[in-house]
Amino acid sequence: MKAGFGFGLAAVGGLGLVPPAAAADAAAPPAPELRFSKVHDLTHTLFEGFPTFSGEKWFTVEKPVTWEKDKVNLHRWTLMEHTGTHMDAPLHFSKDGKSVDMIDIADLVVPLAVIDIRERAAADPDAGLTLDDIKAWEAKNGPLPEGCCVAMNSGWHRLLDQPKFTGRDAEGRNHTPGFHAEAAQFLIEERSVKGIAVDTLSLDRGIASGEFPVHYAWLGSGRWGVEAIAGLDDLPAKGAMLVVAGPKVKGATGGPSRILALV
């Protein structure tokens, strides 16, 4: 993408999005510009055998129509919603929360804050993003942006083809980083954050996933999450915009998504 390519967006909730009527309002303040020079794809390529939290195969591809037979290519997919790089809608861990198709599209284009815990996670696969990590990020970068997504970079996205990615031990427990419940609760109560993202298979640490405290608190509060995000090493701690292109399927609790960062 050509450097300096810009979009003029009027601010709504700190995101830079505005309905047409407001844009036409002469009394409205000038629309700030969102400029970016590069688009980063934060999405793992989905394939049969993509690692899953349970260890089961959650994605298969059939070819009922082929070029050789029909002069057309057409595949049939069978998948669980929460496979590959995907989003979690509030409905995933709440009785009557919003499904993917109900999430306001303006809430899926947000500032991105990347919190790096790679060093600690390399030494301890049960490490998590803590309240201290958030405070340390803010001490260096200023307050978390209004309406942002907070992404955990544990370095796990580089381990996709290794057993350590799922971290499953002999007893069936997963040893992978995630958010601590205290950190998630702080973001819910004390900061204006719309989503959280992890480069692992679960918003919760693997060893905490029997109870899923972060899933229940975060999604139950009406917010969304992204799991198995990739490519965070190439992003700044602050300044990128995140685009979460989830599937618009009625009633979906989540689904494979194309996740982009604009820098």
Side-chain angles (χ1 to χ4, degrees):
M1 179 149 307
K2 182 182 286 187
F5 189 83
F7 290 97
L9 302 174
V12 171
L15 303 187
L17 297 177
V18 64
D25 186 351
E33 285 191 334
L34 166 64
R35 292 187 175 273
F36 61 92
S37 59
K38 191 169 183 180
V39 179
H40 293 260
D41 190 349
L42 307 185
T43 316
H44 286 295
T45 299
L46 183 57
F47 56 88
E48 288 193 87
F50 192 98
T52 64
F53 197 80
S54 68
E56 300 171 302
K57 188 175 182 179
W58 280 5
F59 177 63
T60 59
V61 179
E62 300 172 81
K63 299 181 179 180
V65 178
T66 65
W67 185 259
E68 291 74 17
K69 179 169 65 74
D70 307 291
K71 297 305 179 192
V72 177
N73 287 309
L74 182 64
H75 300 162
R76 179 186 294 119
W77 297 351
T78 303
L79 58 81
M80 296 286 280
E81 291 171 313
H82 298 265
T83 188
T85 300
H86 65 277
M87 71 177 302
D88 286 4
L91 181 60
H92 185 36
F93 268 75
S94 62
K95 182 178 180 180
D96 54 4
K98 288 184 178 180
S99 54
V100 173
D101 56 302
M102 296 172 64
I103 299 174
D104 189 334
I105 194 67
D107 290 341
L108 299 175
V109 183
V110 298
L112 178 63
V114 180
I115 299 183
D116 191 336
I117 66 164
R118 285 177 291 179
E119 184 175 350
R120 194 166 71 248
D124 177 14
D126 294 324
L129 191 153
T130 66
L131 178 55
D132 286 342
D133 292 321
I134 296 171
K135 291 182 175 179
W137 189 96
E138 291 192 320
K140 185 176 181 179
N141 300 285
L144 287 168
E146 180 79 11
C148 72
C149 171
V150 176
M152 176 195 76
N153 183 4
S154 68
W156 240 245
H157 58 276
R158 299 192 305 269
L159 305 175
L160 185 65
D161 60 350
Q162 301 179 32
K164 190 174 181 180
F165 186 74
T166 59
R168 185 175 294 274
D169 62 22
E171 298 174 349
R173 302 184 73 192
N174 299 72
H175 297 274
T176 55
F179 276 74
H180 273 277
E182 180 187 29
Q185 200 63 43
F186 173 80
L187 294 177
I188 292 170
E189 297 176 354
E190 304 294 336
R191 295 293 183 270
S192 177
V193 175
K194 293 190 174 180
I196 57 175
V198 295
D199 56 355
T200 59
L201 290 172
S202 177
L203 303 178
D204 283 278
R205 294 184 300 150
I207 59 171
S209 290
E211 298 178 352
F212 296 103
V214 173
H215 276 83
Y216 277 112
W218 189 259
L219 301 178
S221 72
R223 295 165 173 83
W224 51 261
V226 173
E227 295 173 327
I229 199 170
L232 293 174
D233 291 351
D234 299 326
L235 301 182
K238 179 182 179 181
M241 291 291 290
L242 189 72
V243 179
V244 181
K248 194 173 182 180
V249 178
K250 187 174 183 178
T253 71
S257 305
R258 198 71 180 259
I259 311 298
L260 307 175
L262 312 180
V263 181

